[in-house]
Amino acid sequence: MTRTDGTGGTDGADAWSPAMVCLDARGAVTAWTQGAESLLGHRSEGIVGHRWRDIFDGPAPDSLSRALATGGHEWQGRAALRHRDGRRVEADVHATPLRGAAGGTTWVLLLAAPGADDRPTGRSAKLMGWALDQLPLALGVFDQDNHMVAANDEACRAMAVRAEDAVGHRLGEVGSAPPYRRLEQLTAEVLRTGEAVRVRISDRVPEVGRRRVYSNFVYPLRDADGRVRGTSIAALDITEQDLARRRLALMSAAGEGVGTTLDLIRTAQELADVATERFADYVGVDLLDSVLRGLPPEPVGSGATATYYRIAQQSVLTGHPESAISTGEADFIAEDSPMELALRTGRALRHRIKDPDMARWLAREPARAERARAHGIHSYLVAPLLARGTTLGLVIFMRHRTPEPFDMDDLYLAGELAARAALAIDNARQYTLQRNTALSLQHSLLPRHTPPQAAVDVAFRYLPGSAEGGVSGDWYDVIPLPGARVALVVGDVVGHGVHASAAMGRLRTAVRTLAGLDLPPDELLTHLDDLVVRVEREPPGETGRQAQSEGPGAGEVGATCLYAVYDPIARTCAMARAGHPGPAVLRPDGFLSFPELPSGPPLGQGGLPFEAAVLDLPPGSVLALYTKGLVQGADPDTGFAPLRRALAEPAESLEEVCDAVLDASRAGPPGDDIALLVARTRVLDDSQVVTWDIAPDPVEVSRVRKLVTERLGLWGLKETAFVTELLVSELVTNAIRYGCPPISLRLIRDGGLVCEVSDASSTAPYLRRARTYDEGGRGLLLVAQLSERWGTRHAADGKTIWAEQRLAAEP
């Protein structure tokens, strides 16, 4: 193969350029060297892009055509080529396929004129020999009997043998390790099938004691006729790439699998699971006692003895028998132990079991020493769990089934893994602290016992949401009202955390205050809505700014509420709701319904009306009020089915009803808080209530006093007659003098004795200071002094003034 200069003469050997043609997968010419131009006369710009057949004089050899068409084996032989001037050129052709990563095949054609100067050919052979010997791939060639006939220097280094000791032998005879036997099986398979095989095999290098990983390509060697004459193995050392891939996979798995929840123990267990699967044979996680309780971590090295607990561990062995500490047990951190050194230095440290320091430590720890011997533990790695400048605990990695000890790369990897896990654990710790604070606040604000009243029997439940959802502002309340009535309240504050619990406490207090004014349900919600609007418009203080920094909506005070007032005398229940789910009503005959109450907007919208509805409830009806967590994410058709079934099933007590409702309406921890209030209605009959109509005439006062005295005698309350007569006289006199007919008097004997005087006037009386010579103005002052409490209740048809006395004992 020769190359001409610009005058048509030939260069020396040093300027020689081979006649080479490159073809793409479609058979088009993509490259044309100067040597090819010298041989065939075509310039590169005139031939690139033409089909390969254009350079042949007549049909190409059939075997070459098949090889180029199918992308098959190498081909070499003599062929007739066409010169640019049309003459025929006989040449030796060597066609070599090159297979790309995407699966396509390109070709390199080497062309040589017969009888040409063989100096370039000899130089090519030398270069090819040097290339094979210095190829950064382990390359071995095998004959049809599967014996090695050649190997380059890299292959000998990989097998740790000399070439003369390997040539002439099968791979299984060169080395007895499983990788050699596996490769021998593969070469035999390729000889039989003629199909190339790619396989990834690892092996231990005796000199360094570490595992090496090779990507092996086993392919057939064919002659010009396509027959398999032998095989070759090209092996690339991908140990570093494999280590990098494994480390990347470990960090990726840690990123996805560690810290999926805000639960401390689960986060630690996730760390142990991920690290055991991909990094160590045993992993144990110790956390400070203060961290487990959600408190700020104790300073390490402050002189105080810190307590660590083994809260998570995992092993490749069932039941982690190599650990001397059980899960949940305190782990004593001895001085100069691997754990204490890591905590003191704040760095991840690795240790060999045979190190002198390790031997001295294990001599003082017989339980750990015995397990190290029994299970062959040979390498320790301890990393502190540091987050935001504080130490939370530590993580212990051990190897006993993996033969390689921890190296420096493992040390850096363990430090990064511990740092990432520590941040997740500290997030869980802070969340635990906030959650415990919010729960404590919420429990302190919710009623532990319901006040005594005769209108309903009640039972209630409060169930915090899951750790992921956080504590929200659900609440319930039972408020006794004048006239033996009772208010039932259930509400839900927007958001989660301490600010939601604090907002719940403010709203609950506001509802109790407004209930004391004896307002109708719709009017009470209107006042409550105005209060929420005013609170939201106030400039935030430090607490408000902190709440707003927690995220969108964190500082809002929006809420939903259902307010119901049950009257055991009228046997009615007036209700109004502000964006809250309606109640469930189970009547004594077993009929269950979800009444459609007028839907009011959530609290905090401002300017929108609320509307009340009145339900007639027979004695013994069960009223269930709840928050959205009970039926969260459920549609009306299917979501209330568990609640329907639970309420419809017979139960001996309301406590059983509450338990049945919670069991039927949830599976596992609820995503949101659940507040449930269940009430069974009672009635006050004629034996406890009496009513008289009063004419607007002052002479009626004496008649009323007589009627009251007689009734008190029938009730066995003669000792209260004197005070009751005074109260009745003052209230009836005021109604006759300042009110409008019709006027009525009602006595209610419940836990106390209530006197109610109603008239059609909407003007409410008020206390005032009477001067010395004033003839009036002392009636209400007398009522206030003689009664336990008194007040005014407005209605659409007038007002009612009431006064209540406490009875010494039940008659």
Side-chain angles (χ1 to χ4, degrees), residues 114-146:
D117 187 358
D118 61 354
R119 287 178 302 163
T121 304
R123 185 175 182 181
S124 300
K126 287 184 179 180
L127 290 173
M128 180 61 74
W130 294 338
L132 291 176
D133 286 339
Q134 299 172 32
L135 188 70
L137 293 164
L139 188 65
V141 181
F142 303 85
D143 60 18
Q144 286 182 307
D145 295 326
N146 216 3

PDB file of all heavy atoms in Angstrom, residues 114-146:
ATOM      1  N   PRO A 114      -1.736  -6.050  -5.184  1.00  0.00           N
ATOM      2  CA  PRO A 114      -0.843  -7.213  -5.102  1.00  0.00           C
ATOM      3  C   PRO A 114       0.564  -6.832  -5.559  1.00  0.00           C
ATOM      4  O   PRO A 114       0.750  -6.083  -6.517  1.00  0.00           O
ATOM      5  CB  PRO A 114      -1.479  -8.226  -6.061  1.00  0.00           C
ATOM      6  CG  PRO A 114      -2.890  -7.789  -6.205  1.00  0.00           C
ATOM      7  CD  PRO A 114      -2.889  -6.306  -6.079  1.00  0.00           C
ATOM      8  N   GLY A 115       1.563  -7.336  -4.813  1.00  0.00           N
ATOM      9  CA  GLY A 115       2.939  -7.080  -5.162  1.00  0.00           C
ATOM     10  C   GLY A 115       3.435  -5.722  -4.730  1.00  0.00           C
ATOM     11  O   GLY A 115       4.543  -5.331  -5.099  1.00  0.00           O
ATOM     12  N   ALA A 116       2.648  -4.962  -3.999  1.00  0.00           N
ATOM     13  CA  ALA A 116       3.105  -3.636  -3.541  1.00  0.00           C
ATOM     14  C   ALA A 116       4.209  -3.808  -2.535  1.00  0.00           C
ATOM     15  O   ALA A 116       4.410  -4.866  -1.931  1.00  0.00           O
ATOM     16  CB  ALA A 116       1.934  -2.877  -2.941  1.00  0.00           C
ATOM     17  N   ASP A 117       4.945  -2.739  -2.318  1.00  0.00           N
ATOM     18  CA  ASP A 117       6.044  -2.734  -1.359  1.00  0.00           C
ATOM     19  C   ASP A 117       5.517  -3.191  -0.015  1.00  0.00           C
ATOM     20  O   ASP A 117       4.529  -2.674   0.500  1.00  0.00           O
ATOM     21  CB  ASP A 117       6.618  -1.315  -1.271  1.00  0.00           C
ATOM     22  CG  ASP A 117       7.876  -1.281  -0.423  1.00  0.00           C
ATOM     23  OD1 ASP A 117       8.256  -2.345   0.107  1.00  0.00           O
ATOM     24  OD2 ASP A 117       8.442  -0.186  -0.313  1.00  0.00           O
ATOM     25  N   ASP A 118       6.154  -4.172   0.601  1.00  0.00           N
ATOM     26  CA  ASP A 118       5.632  -4.754   1.840  1.00  0.00           C
ATOM     27  C   ASP A 118       6.121  -4.019   3.066  1.00  0.00           C
ATOM     28  O   ASP A 118       5.852  -4.444   4.165  1.00  0.00           O
ATOM     29  CB  ASP A 118       6.003  -6.236   1.930  1.00  0.00           C
ATOM     30  CG  ASP A 118       7.514  -6.445   1.952  1.00  0.00           C
ATOM     31  OD1 ASP A 118       8.254  -5.429   1.773  1.00  0.00           O
ATOM     32  OD2 ASP A 118       7.925  -7.596   2.128  1.00  0.00           O
ATOM     33  N   ARG A 119       6.847  -2.938   2.918  1.00  0.00           N
ATOM     34  CA  ARG A 119       7.299  -2.232   4.115  1.00  0.00           C
ATOM     35  C   ARG A 119       6.114  -1.668   4.926  1.00  0.00           C
ATOM     36  O   ARG A 119       6.080  -1.805   6.121  1.00  0.00           O
ATOM     37  CB  ARG A 119       8.255  -1.105   3.721  1.00  0.00           C
ATOM     38  CG  ARG A 119       9.624  -1.593   3.276  1.00  0.00           C
ATOM     39  CD  ARG A 119      10.490  -0.439   2.867  1.00  0.00           C
ATOM     40  NE  ARG A 119       9.845   0.307   1.799  1.00  0.00           N
ATOM     41  CZ  ARG A 119      10.218   1.555   1.460  1.00  0.00           C
ATOM     42  NH1 ARG A 119      11.197   2.161   2.100  1.00  0.00           N
ATOM     43  NH2 ARG A 119       9.599   2.181   0.476  1.00  0.00           N
ATOM     44  N   PRO A 120       5.139  -1.020   4.274  1.00  0.00           N
ATOM     45  CA  PRO A 120       3.994  -0.564   5.059  1.00  0.00           C
ATOM     46  C   PRO A 120       3.245  -1.704   5.714  1.00  0.00           C
ATOM     47  O   PRO A 120       2.779  -1.602   6.834  1.00  0.00           O
ATOM     48  CB  PRO A 120       3.126   0.159   4.031  1.00  0.00           C
ATOM     49  CG  PRO A 120       4.073   0.558   2.941  1.00  0.00           C
ATOM     50  CD  PRO A 120       5.076  -0.544   2.882  1.00  0.00           C
ATOM     51  N   THR A 121       3.149  -2.866   4.963  1.00  0.00           N
ATOM     52  CA  THR A 121       2.427  -3.988   5.550  1.00  0.00           C
ATOM     53  C   THR A 121       3.146  -4.481   6.800  1.00  0.00           C
ATOM     54  O   THR A 121       2.543  -4.769   7.824  1.00  0.00           O
ATOM     55  CB  THR A 121       2.291  -5.121   4.531  1.00  0.00           C
ATOM     56  OG1 THR A 121       1.658  -4.615   3.357  1.00  0.00           O
ATOM     57  CG2 THR A 121       1.498  -6.279   5.083  1.00  0.00           C
ATOM     58  N   GLY A 122       4.447  -4.593   6.757  1.00  0.00           N
ATOM     59  CA  GLY A 122       5.186  -4.992   7.944  1.00  0.00           C
ATOM     60  C   GLY A 122       5.033  -3.991   9.061  1.00  0.00           C
ATOM     61  O   GLY A 122       4.914  -4.360  10.229  1.00  0.00           O
ATOM     62  N   ARG A 123       5.022  -2.720   8.693  1.00  0.00           N
ATOM     63  CA  ARG A 123       4.831  -1.701   9.733  1.00  0.00           C
ATOM     64  C   ARG A 123       3.443  -1.808  10.346  1.00  0.00           C
ATOM     65  O   ARG A 123       3.264  -1.640  11.539  1.00  0.00           O
ATOM     66  CB  ARG A 123       5.043  -0.319   9.118  1.00  0.00           C
ATOM     67  CG  ARG A 123       4.997   0.787  10.141  1.00  0.00           C
ATOM     68  CD  ARG A 123       5.342   2.101   9.504  1.00  0.00           C
ATOM     69  NE  ARG A 123       5.346   3.146  10.490  1.00  0.00           N
ATOM     70  CZ  ARG A 123       5.599   4.413  10.219  1.00  0.00           C
ATOM     71  NH1 ARG A 123       5.899   4.764   8.994  1.00  0.00           N
ATOM     72  NH2 ARG A 123       5.570   5.326  11.159  1.00  0.00           N
ATOM     73  N   SER A 124       2.458  -2.126   9.495  1.00  0.00           N
ATOM     74  CA  SER A 124       1.092  -2.301  10.016  1.00  0.00           C
ATOM     75  C   SER A 124       1.033  -3.440  11.021  1.00  0.00           C
ATOM     76  O   SER A 124       0.381  -3.359  12.062  1.00  0.00           O
ATOM     77  CB  SER A 124       0.116  -2.579   8.863  1.00  0.00           C
ATOM     78  OG  SER A 124       0.112  -1.523   7.955  1.00  0.00           O
ATOM     79  N   ALA A 125       1.711  -4.509  10.688  1.00  0.00           N
ATOM     80  CA  ALA A 125       1.714  -5.656  11.599  1.00  0.00           C
ATOM     81  C   ALA A 125       2.344  -5.287  12.936  1.00  0.00           C
ATOM     82  O   ALA A 125       1.861  -5.687  13.997  1.00  0.00           O
ATOM     83  CB  ALA A 125       2.446  -6.829  10.957  1.00  0.00           C
ATOM     84  N   LYS A 126       3.453  -4.526  12.850  1.00  0.00           N
ATOM     85  CA  LYS A 126       4.083  -4.111  14.099  1.00  0.00           C
ATOM     86  C   LYS A 126       3.144  -3.235  14.928  1.00  0.00           C
ATOM     87  O   LYS A 126       3.006  -3.406  16.132  1.00  0.00           O
ATOM     88  CB  LYS A 126       5.382  -3.364  13.810  1.00  0.00           C
ATOM     89  CG  LYS A 126       6.516  -4.252  13.337  1.00  0.00           C
ATOM     90  CD  LYS A 126       7.791  -3.449  13.154  1.00  0.00           C
ATOM     91  CE  LYS A 126       8.945  -4.353  12.695  1.00  0.00           C
ATOM     92  NZ  LYS A 126      10.196  -3.570  12.515  1.00  0.00           N
ATOM     93  N   LEU A 127       2.562  -2.267  14.230  1.00  0.00           N
ATOM     94  CA  LEU A 127       1.640  -1.380  14.958  1.00  0.00           C
ATOM     95  C   LEU A 127       0.471  -2.154  15.561  1.00  0.00           C
ATOM     96  O   LEU A 127       0.031  -1.887  16.681  1.00  0.00           O
ATOM     97  CB  LEU A 127       1.116  -0.285  14.022  1.00  0.00           C
ATOM     98  CG  LEU A 127       2.135   0.774  13.592  1.00  0.00           C
ATOM     99  CD1 LEU A 127       1.523   1.703  12.537  1.00  0.00           C
ATOM    100  CD2 LEU A 127       2.595   1.588  14.793  1.00  0.00           C
ATOM    101  N   MET A 128      -0.062  -3.093  14.781  1.00  0.00           N
ATOM    102  CA  MET A 128      -1.175  -3.885  15.308  1.00  0.00           C
ATOM    103  C   MET A 128      -0.740  -4.700  16.517  1.00  0.00           C
ATOM    104  O   MET A 128      -1.464  -4.819  17.511  1.00  0.00           O
ATOM    105  CB  MET A 128      -1.712  -4.814  14.213  1.00  0.00           C
ATOM    106  CG  MET A 128      -2.888  -5.685  14.660  1.00  0.00           C
ATOM    107  SD  MET A 128      -4.313  -4.691  15.173  1.00  0.00           S
ATOM    108  CE  MET A 128      -4.885  -4.127  13.565  1.00  0.00           C
ATOM    109  N   GLY A 129       0.461  -5.274  16.465  1.00  0.00           N
ATOM    110  CA  GLY A 129       0.949  -6.022  17.617  1.00  0.00           C
ATOM    111  C   GLY A 129       1.121  -5.146  18.843  1.00  0.00           C
ATOM    112  O   GLY A 129       0.755  -5.531  19.949  1.00  0.00           O
ATOM    113  N   TRP A 130       1.704  -3.949  18.595  1.00  0.00           N
ATOM    114  CA  TRP A 130       1.839  -3.034  19.740  1.00  0.00           C
ATOM    115  C   TRP A 130       0.467  -2.639  20.294  1.00  0.00           C
ATOM    116  O   TRP A 130       0.289  -2.527  21.494  1.00  0.00           O
ATOM    117  CB  TRP A 130       2.599  -1.790  19.295  1.00  0.00           C
ATOM    118  CG  TRP A 130       4.019  -2.061  18.909  1.00  0.00           C
ATOM    119  CD1 TRP A 130       4.796  -3.120  19.272  1.00  0.00           C
ATOM    120  CD2 TRP A 130       4.826  -1.247  18.048  1.00  0.00           C
ATOM    121  NE1 TRP A 130       6.040  -3.044  18.720  1.00  0.00           N
ATOM    122  CE2 TRP A 130       6.098  -1.888  17.954  1.00  0.00           C
ATOM    123  CE3 TRP A 130       4.625  -0.058  17.348  1.00  0.00           C
ATOM    124  CZ2 TRP A 130       7.142  -1.365  17.189  1.00  0.00           C
ATOM    125  CZ3 TRP A 130       5.663   0.475  16.590  1.00  0.00           C
ATOM    126  CH2 TRP A 130       6.912  -0.174  16.505  1.00  0.00           C
ATOM    127  N   ALA A 131      -0.466  -2.383  19.391  1.00  0.00           N
ATOM    128  CA  ALA A 131      -1.805  -1.967  19.830  1.00  0.00           C
ATOM    129  C   ALA A 131      -2.467  -3.047  20.684  1.00  0.00           C
ATOM    130  O   ALA A 131      -3.086  -2.770  21.715  1.00  0.00           O
ATOM    131  CB  ALA A 131      -2.674  -1.639  18.620  1.00  0.00           C
ATOM    132  N   LEU A 132      -2.341  -4.303  20.246  1.00  0.00           N
ATOM    133  CA  LEU A 132      -2.966  -5.379  21.017  1.00  0.00           C
ATOM    134  C   LEU A 132      -2.286  -5.563  22.368  1.00  0.00           C
ATOM    135  O   LEU A 132      -2.936  -5.798  23.388  1.00  0.00           O
ATOM    136  CB  LEU A 132      -2.916  -6.678  20.219  1.00  0.00           C
ATOM    137  CG  LEU A 132      -3.793  -6.731  18.966  1.00  0.00           C
ATOM    138  CD1 LEU A 132      -3.580  -8.037  18.219  1.00  0.00           C
ATOM    139  CD2 LEU A 132      -5.257  -6.554  19.335  1.00  0.00           C
ATOM    140  N   ASP A 133      -0.938  -5.477  22.373  1.00  0.00           N
ATOM    141  CA  ASP A 133      -0.228  -5.667  23.639  1.00  0.00           C
ATOM    142  C   ASP A 133      -0.517  -4.542  24.629  1.00  0.00           C
ATOM    143  O   ASP A 133      -0.573  -4.761  25.839  1.00  0.00           O
ATOM    144  CB  ASP A 133       1.281  -5.760  23.376  1.00  0.00           C
ATOM    145  CG  ASP A 133       1.666  -7.098  22.752  1.00  0.00           C
ATOM    146  OD1 ASP A 133       0.867  -8.045  22.899  1.00  0.00           O
ATOM    147  OD2 ASP A 133       2.739  -7.168  22.119  1.00  0.00           O
ATOM    148  N   GLN A 134      -0.656  -3.338  24.108  1.00  0.00           N
ATOM    149  CA  GLN A 134      -0.845  -2.186  24.978  1.00  0.00           C
ATOM    150  C   GLN A 134      -2.317  -1.791  25.117  1.00  0.00           C
ATOM    151  O   GLN A 134      -2.623  -0.748  25.707  1.00  0.00           O
ATOM    152  CB  GLN A 134      -0.041  -0.999  24.439  1.00  0.00           C
ATOM    153  CG  GLN A 134       1.462  -1.281  24.376  1.00  0.00           C
ATOM    154  CD  GLN A 134       2.235  -0.194  23.671  1.00  0.00           C
ATOM    155  OE1 GLN A 134       1.854   0.965  23.739  1.00  0.00           O
ATOM    156  NE2 GLN A 134       3.320  -0.566  23.004  1.00  0.00           N
ATOM    157  N   LEU A 135      -3.211  -2.569  24.563  1.00  0.00           N
ATOM    158  CA  LEU A 135      -4.639  -2.292  24.664  1.00  0.00           C
ATOM    159  C   LEU A 135      -5.081  -2.315  26.132  1.00  0.00           C
ATOM    160  O   LEU A 135      -4.759  -3.259  26.859  1.00  0.00           O
ATOM    161  CB  LEU A 135      -5.422  -3.350  23.880  1.00  0.00           C
ATOM    162  CG  LEU A 135      -6.923  -3.123  23.712  1.00  0.00           C
ATOM    163  CD1 LEU A 135      -7.182  -1.953  22.783  1.00  0.00           C
ATOM    164  CD2 LEU A 135      -7.580  -4.390  23.145  1.00  0.00           C
ATOM    165  N   PRO A 136      -5.782  -1.269  26.602  1.00  0.00           N
ATOM    166  CA  PRO A 136      -6.227  -1.264  28.009  1.00  0.00           C
ATOM    167  C   PRO A 136      -7.405  -2.199  28.248  1.00  0.00           C
ATOM    168  O   PRO A 136      -8.268  -1.925  29.063  1.00  0.00           O
ATOM    169  CB  PRO A 136      -6.612   0.201  28.227  1.00  0.00           C
ATOM    170  CG  PRO A 136      -7.022   0.688  26.899  1.00  0.00           C
ATOM    171  CD  PRO A 136      -6.155  -0.027  25.908  1.00  0.00           C
ATOM    172  N   LEU A 137      -7.450  -3.270  27.518  1.00  0.00           N
ATOM    173  CA  LEU A 137      -8.446  -4.324  27.674  1.00  0.00           C
ATOM    174  C   LEU A 137      -7.709  -5.639  27.806  1.00  0.00           C
ATOM    175  O   LEU A 137      -6.675  -5.855  27.159  1.00  0.00           O
ATOM    176  CB  LEU A 137      -9.374  -4.403  26.456  1.00  0.00           C
ATOM    177  CG  LEU A 137     -10.321  -3.242  26.192  1.00  0.00           C
ATOM    178  CD1 LEU A 137     -10.839  -3.316  24.775  1.00  0.00           C
ATOM    179  CD2 LEU A 137     -11.490  -3.307  27.152  1.00  0.00           C
ATOM    180  N   ALA A 138      -8.224  -6.521  28.622  1.00  0.00           N
ATOM    181  CA  ALA A 138      -7.673  -7.873  28.700  1.00  0.00           C
ATOM    182  C   ALA A 138      -8.191  -8.654  27.504  1.00  0.00           C
ATOM    183  O   ALA A 138      -9.403  -8.859  27.360  1.00  0.00           O
ATOM    184  CB  ALA A 138      -8.069  -8.533  30.008  1.00  0.00           C
ATOM    185  N   LEU A 139      -7.288  -9.074  26.622  1.00  0.00           N
ATOM    186  CA  LEU A 139      -7.693  -9.720  25.382  1.00  0.00           C
ATOM    187  C   LEU A 139      -7.072 -11.112  25.315  1.00  0.00           C
ATOM    188  O   LEU A 139      -5.858 -11.284  25.471  1.00  0.00           O
ATOM    189  CB  LEU A 139      -7.229  -8.891  24.180  1.00  0.00           C
ATOM    190  CG  LEU A 139      -7.739  -9.330  22.816  1.00  0.00           C
ATOM    191  CD1 LEU A 139      -9.243  -9.162  22.729  1.00  0.00           C
ATOM    192  CD2 LEU A 139      -7.052  -8.518  21.714  1.00  0.00           C
ATOM    193  N   GLY A 140      -7.901 -12.112  25.108  1.00  0.00           N
ATOM    194  CA  GLY A 140      -7.443 -13.488  24.978  1.00  0.00           C
ATOM    195  C   GLY A 140      -8.046 -14.133  23.752  1.00  0.00           C
ATOM    196  O   GLY A 140      -9.202 -13.861  23.405  1.00  0.00           O
ATOM    197  N   VAL A 141      -7.271 -15.006  23.077  1.00  0.00           N
ATOM    198  CA  VAL A 141      -7.720 -15.682  21.864  1.00  0.00           C
ATOM    199  C   VAL A 141      -7.659 -17.189  22.107  1.00  0.00           C
ATOM    200  O   VAL A 141      -6.672 -17.699  22.664  1.00  0.00           O
ATOM    201  CB  VAL A 141      -6.841 -15.292  20.657  1.00  0.00           C
ATOM    202  CG1 VAL A 141      -7.340 -15.984  19.390  1.00  0.00           C
ATOM    203  CG2 VAL A 141      -6.845 -13.782  20.462  1.00  0.00           C
ATOM    204  N   PHE A 142      -8.713 -17.905  21.649  1.00  0.00           N
ATOM    205  CA  PHE A 142      -8.846 -19.337  21.916  1.00  0.00           C
ATOM    206  C   PHE A 142      -9.141 -20.054  20.603  1.00  0.00           C
ATOM    207  O   PHE A 142      -9.854 -19.542  19.732  1.00  0.00           O
ATOM    208  CB  PHE A 142      -9.975 -19.598  22.925  1.00  0.00           C
ATOM    209  CG  PHE A 142      -9.794 -18.868  24.221  1.00  0.00           C
ATOM    210  CD1 PHE A 142     -10.225 -17.544  24.353  1.00  0.00           C
ATOM    211  CD2 PHE A 142      -9.188 -19.475  25.304  1.00  0.00           C
ATOM    212  CE1 PHE A 142     -10.060 -16.864  25.544  1.00  0.00           C
ATOM    213  CE2 PHE A 142      -9.019 -18.794  26.490  1.00  0.00           C
ATOM    214  CZ  PHE A 142      -9.449 -17.488  26.609  1.00  0.00           C
ATOM    215  N   ASP A 143      -8.589 -21.260  20.489  1.00  0.00           N
ATOM    216  CA  ASP A 143      -8.799 -22.036  19.271  1.00  0.00           C
ATOM    217  C   ASP A 143     -10.083 -22.848  19.371  1.00  0.00           C
ATOM    218  O   ASP A 143     -10.856 -22.705  20.330  1.00  0.00           O
ATOM    219  CB  ASP A 143      -7.586 -22.933  18.993  1.00  0.00           C
ATOM    220  CG  ASP A 143      -7.335 -23.929  20.138  1.00  0.00           C
ATOM    221  OD1 ASP A 143      -8.259 -24.164  20.957  1.00  0.00           O
ATOM    222  OD2 ASP A 143      -6.207 -24.461  20.214  1.00  0.00           O
ATOM    223  N   GLN A 144     -10.280 -23.732  18.384  1.00  0.00           N
ATOM    224  CA  GLN A 144     -11.515 -24.504  18.356  1.00  0.00           C
ATOM    225  C   GLN A 144     -11.583 -25.544  19.468  1.00  0.00           C
ATOM    226  O   GLN A 144     -12.667 -26.044  19.765  1.00  0.00           O
ATOM    227  CB  GLN A 144     -11.652 -25.200  16.989  1.00  0.00           C
ATOM    228  CG  GLN A 144     -12.021 -24.228  15.868  1.00  0.00           C
ATOM    229  CD  GLN A 144     -12.203 -24.930  14.552  1.00  0.00           C
ATOM    230  OE1 GLN A 144     -11.307 -25.663  14.121  1.00  0.00           O
ATOM    231  NE2 GLN A 144     -13.339 -24.725  13.902  1.00  0.00           N
ATOM    232  N   ASP A 145     -10.468 -25.862  20.075  1.00  0.00           N
ATOM    233  CA  ASP A 145     -10.474 -26.773  21.225  1.00  0.00           C
ATOM    234  C   ASP A 145     -10.592 -26.010  22.539  1.00  0.00           C
ATOM    235  O   ASP A 145     -10.442 -26.602  23.616  1.00  0.00           O
ATOM    236  CB  ASP A 145      -9.188 -27.608  21.224  1.00  0.00           C
ATOM    237  CG  ASP A 145      -9.107 -28.532  20.021  1.00  0.00           C
ATOM    238  OD1 ASP A 145     -10.173 -29.017  19.591  1.00  0.00           O
ATOM    239  OD2 ASP A 145      -7.980 -28.739  19.517  1.00  0.00           O
ATOM    240  N   ASN A 146     -10.838 -24.729  22.445  1.00  0.00           N
ATOM    241  CA  ASN A 146     -11.028 -23.862  23.611  1.00  0.00           C
ATOM    242  C   ASN A 146      -9.739 -23.686  24.421  1.00  0.00           C
ATOM    243  O   ASN A 146      -9.774 -23.424  25.617  1.00  0.00           O
ATOM    244  CB  ASN A 146     -12.138 -24.392  24.528  1.00  0.00           C
ATOM    245  CG  ASN A 146     -12.943 -23.248  25.139  1.00  0.00           C
ATOM    246  OD1 ASN A 146     -12.693 -22.070  24.832  1.00  0.00           O
ATOM    247  ND2 ASN A 146     -13.884 -23.574  26.006  1.00  0.00           N
TER     248      ASN A 146
END
